[in-house]
Amino acid sequence: MSDAITLTGSYKTAETRGKTRSLRTLVSIRRYASPIVLVCLWQIACSSGLLSTRLVASPVQIAVTGWTLVRDGTLPFNLGVSLLRAGSGLGLAISLGVALALVSGLSRIGEDIVDAPLQILRTLPALALVPLYILWFGIGETPKILLVALGATFPIYLNLHKGIRSIDPKLVEMASTLGLSRWQTIRDVFLPGALPDFLTGLRYAVGVSWLMLVVAEQVNAESGIGHMMMDAQDFLRTDIILVGLLVYGVLGLMSDQIVRFLESTLLAWRPDGRKGRTA
């Protein structure tokens, strides 16, 4: 009798799991159904002449052009240059953002010195700084990397500063009672406590770095995805322009997924670790 009950329970469990998988599959199909339908309508409109292919390339044409750019090495080369610029700028932004947030978040004097200039600089439009960056740093890689770093620094600084200031004072008091040094308190109390906010800032910073890269690569650039798109503009090659936009979109999505993976991994110690995953 007990074996029959066990088998029945196992069957129901398997049936429930099967329904759950089916439901997830249905949700995934429904989520991507609208983009697929839009792409199909786009192709139909281009093939029927409703949309001029000189103004908007068809999806098939974009796919063929993308494959051609991959085969002749144009896309991999420019993609590598763009990744190097974005990675260098983001790395510099993380270093600056963390350092400035620690100075401003751990000290009232530091906040008075650091916060006001950063808030002023944050409101300046990036395009307005391009002429100055060219005058100061020339037309090489330095101004492009610094433009990316400029935009990506602020999300990291603002979110980490908030996280540091949100630390429970009782934790700091307990660290003092235990005799922890200033550095040990920062390492064991402030940084772990502010980690969720830092990862949120990092996620925003990754997105901003791609936006700033678009600006940087369209100003006196000789390589990169943005440069490839600007060259295509001169010859009315909307297919190449759309390939570049697609690459930017895919890079943004992939980098965002990497940060989300870091969130789920680094915040697994929290009781609400699953909630730490950004939707």
Side-chain angles (χ1 to χ4, degrees):
M1 185 66 177
S2 60
D3 292 340
I5 294 174
T6 302
L7 289 173
T8 303
S10 300
Y11 174 76
K12 289 183 177 179
T13 302
E15 185 179 6
T16 302
R17 290 176 179 173
K19 290 182 179 179
T20 302
R21 292 195 190 99
S22 300
L23 182 60
R24 289 177 178 173
T25 302
L26 181 61
V27 171
S28 299
I29 294 174
R30 187 179 63 187
R31 181 178 183 181
Y32 294 106
S34 57
I36 293 174
V37 170
L38 288 175
V39 171
C40 292
L41 292 175
W42 178 6
Q43 179 62 46
I44 292 173
C46 291
S47 300
S48 62
L50 292 177
L51 283 178
S52 172
T53 54
R54 292 191 61 185
L55 299 178
V56 181
S58 67
V60 172
Q61 187 179 357
I62 293 170
V64 172
T65 300
W67 177 243
T68 302
L69 293 174
V70 170
R71 290 186 60 185
D72 63 16
T74 301
L75 186 58
F77 170 74
N78 288 296
L79 177 60
V81 173
S82 294
L83 287 173
L84 181 60
R85 289 169 179 160
S88 301
L90 183 61
L92 182 59
I94 292 173
S95 302
L96 289 174
V98 170
L100 293 171
L102 288 174
V103 172
S104 180
L106 297 174
S107 169
R108 291 291 181 185
I109 298 177
E111 182 176 19
D112 294 338
I113 296 174
V114 170
D115 191 67
L118 281 179
Q119 296 298 337
I120 294 173
L121 190 60
R122 183 172 66 91
T123 60
L124 297 178
L127 286 175
L129 296 175
V130 170
L132 283 177
Y133 271 50
I134 293 176
L135 288 174
W136 292 342
F137 307 109
I139 58 174
E141 293 299 306
T142 302
K144 300 175 180 59
I145 293 174
L146 290 180
L147 274 174
V148 175
L150 175 67
T153 297
F154 300 118
I156 294 174
Y157 166 78
L158 292 172
N159 283 274
L160 184 57
H161 178 271
K162 170 184 170 294
I164 292 173
R165 285 300 173 91
S166 300
I167 297 295
D168 191 346
K170 294 181 180 179
L171 293 176
V172 182
E173 183 179 352
M174 182 179 66
S176 178
T177 303
L178 293 174
L180 297 182
S181 66
R182 181 66 169 170
W183 164 243
Q184 289 174 326
T185 302
I186 294 173
R187 183 191 63 188
D188 299 332
V189 177
F190 283 102
L191 292 181
L195 183 59
D197 293 281
F198 167 75
L199 291 173
T200 300
L202 179 61
R203 190 176 181 186
Y204 282 109
V206 168
V208 172
S209 66
W210 293 118
L211 294 176
M212 296 299 293
L213 183 65
V214 175
V215 176
E217 289 190 335
Q218 293 184 358
V219 179
N220 292 318
E222 296 181 356
S223 58
I225 301 298
H227 170 71
M228 182 183 73
M229 294 169 62
M230 292 297 292
D231 274 354
Q233 178 186 356
D234 296 335
F235 297 98
L236 301 178
R237 293 292 304 273
T238 58
D239 51 344
I240 296 179
I241 295 174
L242 289 171
V243 167
L245 291 176
L246 181 62
V247 170
Y248 278 131
V250 171
L251 289 175
L253 179 61
M254 290 177 60
S255 55
D256 184 72
Q257 292 298 317
I258 291 173
V259 178
R260 293 182 67 177
F261 174 76
L262 288 176
E263 285 182 330
S264 62
T265 303
L266 297 177
L267 302 181
W269 53 269
R270 299 198 309 177
D272 58 341
R274 290 185 179 181
K275 295 180 181 179
R277 298 180 185 180
T278 306

